[in-house]
Short mmCIF file of all heavy atoms in Angstrom, two decimals:
data_model
loop_
_atom_site.label_atom_id
_atom_site.label_comp_id
_atom_site.label_asym_id
_atom_site.label_seq_id
_atom_site.Cartn_x
_atom_site.Cartn_y
_atom_site.Cartn_z
N PHE C 266 0.88 -26.48 5.29
CA PHE C 266 2.07 -26.01 4.58
C PHE C 266 3.31 -26.57 5.27
O PHE C 266 3.46 -26.46 6.49
CB PHE C 266 2.14 -24.48 4.56
CG PHE C 266 3.29 -23.97 3.75
CD1 PHE C 266 3.16 -23.79 2.38
CD2 PHE C 266 4.51 -23.70 4.35
CE1 PHE C 266 4.23 -23.36 1.61
CE2 PHE C 266 5.60 -23.27 3.58
CZ PHE C 266 5.44 -23.09 2.21
N CYS C 267 4.22 -27.16 4.51
CA CYS C 267 5.42 -27.76 5.10
C CYS C 267 6.69 -27.32 4.38
O CYS C 267 6.76 -27.41 3.16
CB CYS C 267 5.35 -29.29 5.01
SG CYS C 267 4.04 -29.96 5.99
N ASN C 268 7.67 -26.87 5.14
CA ASN C 268 9.00 -26.63 4.57
C ASN C 268 10.09 -27.16 5.50
O ASN C 268 11.25 -26.79 5.38
CB ASN C 268 9.21 -25.14 4.24
CG ASN C 268 9.10 -24.24 5.46
OD1 ASN C 268 8.96 -24.73 6.60
ND2 ASN C 268 9.15 -22.93 5.27
N VAL C 269 9.68 -28.08 6.41
CA VAL C 269 10.64 -28.67 7.36
C VAL C 269 11.74 -29.42 6.60
O VAL C 269 12.88 -29.50 7.08
CB VAL C 269 9.91 -29.59 8.36
CG1 VAL C 269 9.30 -30.81 7.70
CG2 VAL C 269 10.83 -30.01 9.51
N ASN C 270 11.43 -29.92 5.40
CA ASN C 270 12.44 -30.64 4.62
C ASN C 270 13.64 -29.75 4.28
O ASN C 270 14.77 -30.20 4.23
CB ASN C 270 11.81 -31.22 3.33
CG ASN C 270 11.03 -30.19 2.54
OD1 ASN C 270 10.46 -29.25 3.11
ND2 ASN C 270 10.96 -30.35 1.24
N HIS C 271 13.40 -28.44 4.09
CA HIS C 271 14.50 -27.54 3.71
C HIS C 271 15.18 -26.84 4.89
O HIS C 271 16.32 -26.42 4.76
CB HIS C 271 13.98 -26.45 2.77
CG HIS C 271 13.63 -26.98 1.42
ND1 HIS C 271 14.51 -27.72 0.67
CD2 HIS C 271 12.48 -26.91 0.71
CE1 HIS C 271 13.92 -28.07 -0.46
NE2 HIS C 271 12.70 -27.61 -0.45
N TYR C 272 14.47 -26.69 6.00
CA TYR C 272 15.02 -25.85 7.08
C TYR C 272 15.17 -26.55 8.42
O TYR C 272 15.76 -25.98 9.34
CB TYR C 272 14.14 -24.60 7.27
CG TYR C 272 14.03 -23.77 6.02
CD1 TYR C 272 12.81 -23.61 5.37
CD2 TYR C 272 15.15 -23.15 5.48
CE1 TYR C 272 12.71 -22.86 4.21
CE2 TYR C 272 15.05 -22.39 4.32
CZ TYR C 272 13.83 -22.24 3.70
OH TYR C 272 13.74 -21.49 2.55
N GLY C 273 14.60 -27.76 8.59
CA GLY C 273 14.57 -28.37 9.92
C GLY C 273 13.74 -27.51 10.85
O GLY C 273 12.91 -26.70 10.42
N ASN C 274 13.98 -27.67 12.13
CA ASN C 274 13.23 -26.92 13.14
C ASN C 274 13.98 -25.62 13.45
O ASN C 274 15.07 -25.65 14.01
CB ASN C 274 13.11 -27.80 14.39
CG ASN C 274 12.32 -27.13 15.51
OD1 ASN C 274 12.07 -25.93 15.47
ND2 ASN C 274 11.94 -27.91 16.50
N THR C 275 13.39 -24.50 13.07
CA THR C 275 14.04 -23.20 13.32
C THR C 275 13.44 -22.50 14.54
O THR C 275 13.48 -21.27 14.66
CB THR C 275 13.95 -22.27 12.09
OG1 THR C 275 12.56 -22.15 11.73
CG2 THR C 275 14.73 -22.81 10.91
N SER C 276 12.86 -23.29 15.44
CA SER C 276 12.33 -22.76 16.70
C SER C 276 11.28 -21.67 16.44
O SER C 276 10.42 -21.86 15.59
CB SER C 276 13.48 -22.27 17.58
OG SER C 276 13.01 -21.88 18.84
N SER C 277 11.40 -20.52 17.11
CA SER C 277 10.31 -19.53 16.96
C SER C 277 10.26 -18.94 15.55
O SER C 277 9.28 -18.32 15.16
CB SER C 277 10.41 -18.43 18.01
OG SER C 277 11.34 -17.47 17.63
N GLY C 278 11.32 -19.15 14.77
CA GLY C 278 11.31 -18.66 13.40
C GLY C 278 10.43 -19.49 12.47
O GLY C 278 10.07 -19.06 11.38
N SER C 279 10.08 -20.69 12.92
CA SER C 279 9.50 -21.68 12.01
C SER C 279 8.13 -21.29 11.42
O SER C 279 7.92 -21.39 10.21
CB SER C 279 9.48 -23.02 12.74
OG SER C 279 8.31 -23.72 12.61
N VAL C 280 7.21 -20.83 12.25
CA VAL C 280 5.86 -20.50 11.74
C VAL C 280 5.90 -19.27 10.81
O VAL C 280 5.36 -19.33 9.69
CB VAL C 280 4.84 -20.34 12.89
CG1 VAL C 280 3.51 -19.81 12.37
CG2 VAL C 280 4.61 -21.69 13.58
N PRO C 281 6.55 -18.16 11.20
CA PRO C 281 6.56 -17.02 10.27
C PRO C 281 7.38 -17.28 9.00
O PRO C 281 7.08 -16.73 7.95
CB PRO C 281 7.15 -15.88 11.09
CG PRO C 281 7.87 -16.53 12.22
CD PRO C 281 7.13 -17.79 12.50
N LEU C 282 8.40 -18.15 9.09
CA LEU C 282 9.16 -18.52 7.89
C LEU C 282 8.24 -19.30 6.94
O LEU C 282 8.24 -19.07 5.72
CB LEU C 282 10.37 -19.38 8.31
CG LEU C 282 11.26 -20.00 7.24
CD1 LEU C 282 11.81 -18.97 6.28
CD2 LEU C 282 12.42 -20.75 7.89
N ALA C 283 7.44 -20.20 7.48
CA ALA C 283 6.50 -20.96 6.64
C ALA C 283 5.41 -20.04 6.10
O ALA C 283 5.02 -20.13 4.92
CB ALA C 283 5.88 -22.10 7.46
N LEU C 284 4.92 -19.11 6.94
CA LEU C 284 3.88 -18.18 6.50
C LEU C 284 4.39 -17.33 5.33
O LEU C 284 3.69 -17.12 4.33
CB LEU C 284 3.46 -17.27 7.67
CG LEU C 284 2.35 -16.28 7.37
CD1 LEU C 284 1.01 -16.99 7.15
CD2 LEU C 284 2.20 -15.25 8.51
N ASP C 285 5.62 -16.86 5.46
CA ASP C 285 6.20 -16.03 4.39
C ASP C 285 6.34 -16.83 3.10
O ASP C 285 6.05 -16.32 2.01
CB ASP C 285 7.57 -15.50 4.82
CG ASP C 285 8.19 -14.66 3.72
OD1 ASP C 285 7.69 -13.53 3.49
OD2 ASP C 285 9.14 -15.12 3.07
N GLU C 286 6.78 -18.07 3.22
CA GLU C 286 6.95 -18.87 1.99
C GLU C 286 5.59 -19.18 1.36
O GLU C 286 5.47 -19.18 0.14
CB GLU C 286 7.75 -20.14 2.28
CG GLU C 286 9.19 -19.80 2.64
CD GLU C 286 10.20 -20.91 2.35
OE1 GLU C 286 9.81 -22.08 2.35
OE2 GLU C 286 11.38 -20.57 2.11
N ALA C 287 4.58 -19.42 2.18
CA ALA C 287 3.23 -19.66 1.64
C ALA C 287 2.72 -18.39 0.96
O ALA C 287 2.12 -18.43 -0.12
CB ALA C 287 2.28 -20.09 2.75
N ASN C 288 2.99 -17.25 1.58
CA ASN C 288 2.57 -15.95 1.02
C ASN C 288 3.24 -15.72 -0.33
O ASN C 288 2.58 -15.44 -1.33
CB ASN C 288 2.93 -14.84 2.02
CG ASN C 288 2.58 -13.45 1.52
OD1 ASN C 288 1.72 -13.29 0.67
ND2 ASN C 288 3.24 -12.43 2.07
N HIS C 289 4.56 -15.88 -0.36
CA HIS C 289 5.28 -15.59 -1.59
C HIS C 289 5.09 -16.64 -2.67
O HIS C 289 5.34 -16.38 -3.84
CB HIS C 289 6.76 -15.35 -1.27
CG HIS C 289 6.98 -14.01 -0.63
ND1 HIS C 289 8.20 -13.52 -0.32
CD2 HIS C 289 6.09 -13.06 -0.26
CE1 HIS C 289 8.07 -12.31 0.22
NE2 HIS C 289 6.78 -12.02 0.27
N ALA C 290 4.60 -17.81 -2.27
CA ALA C 290 4.28 -18.83 -3.28
C ALA C 290 2.90 -18.55 -3.89
O ALA C 290 2.44 -19.28 -4.78
CB ALA C 290 4.31 -20.23 -2.66
N GLY C 291 2.22 -17.52 -3.38
CA GLY C 291 0.90 -17.16 -3.92
C GLY C 291 -0.21 -18.09 -3.47
O GLY C 291 -1.28 -18.13 -4.08
N LEU C 292 0.03 -18.83 -2.38
CA LEU C 292 -0.98 -19.80 -1.93
C LEU C 292 -2.11 -19.15 -1.13
O LEU C 292 -3.20 -19.71 -1.02
CB LEU C 292 -0.32 -20.86 -1.02
CG LEU C 292 0.75 -21.74 -1.66
CD1 LEU C 292 1.38 -22.66 -0.63
CD2 LEU C 292 0.09 -22.57 -2.77
N LEU C 293 -1.83 -17.97 -0.55
CA LEU C 293 -2.80 -17.37 0.36
C LEU C 293 -3.65 -16.35 -0.39
O LEU C 293 -3.12 -15.38 -0.94
CB LEU C 293 -2.08 -16.70 1.54
CG LEU C 293 -0.99 -17.54 2.21
CD1 LEU C 293 -0.30 -16.75 3.32
CD2 LEU C 293 -1.58 -18.84 2.75
N LYS C 294 -4.96 -16.58 -0.41
CA LYS C 294 -5.86 -15.67 -1.13
C LYS C 294 -6.63 -14.82 -0.13
O LYS C 294 -6.90 -15.26 0.99
CB LYS C 294 -6.88 -16.48 -1.96
CG LYS C 294 -6.25 -17.51 -2.88
CD LYS C 294 -5.63 -16.87 -4.13
CE LYS C 294 -4.96 -17.89 -5.03
NZ LYS C 294 -3.51 -17.76 -5.14
N LYS C 295 -7.00 -13.63 -0.57
CA LYS C 295 -7.75 -12.71 0.30
C LYS C 295 -8.97 -13.44 0.88
O LYS C 295 -9.73 -14.09 0.15
CB LYS C 295 -8.21 -11.51 -0.52
CG LYS C 295 -8.86 -10.42 0.31
CD LYS C 295 -9.17 -9.21 -0.58
CE LYS C 295 -10.01 -8.18 0.13
NZ LYS C 295 -9.44 -7.62 1.33
#
Side-chain angles (χ1 to χ4, degrees):
F266 184 86
C267 294
N268 60 6
V269 65
N270 51 330
H271 290 307
Y272 302 115
N274 181 346
T275 55
S276 186
S277 81
S279 136
V280 172
L282 174 56
L284 182 70
D285 179 71
E286 292 206 333
N288 178 23
H289 285 184
L292 297 176
L293 313 177
K294 307 284 178 246
K295 187 175 171 60

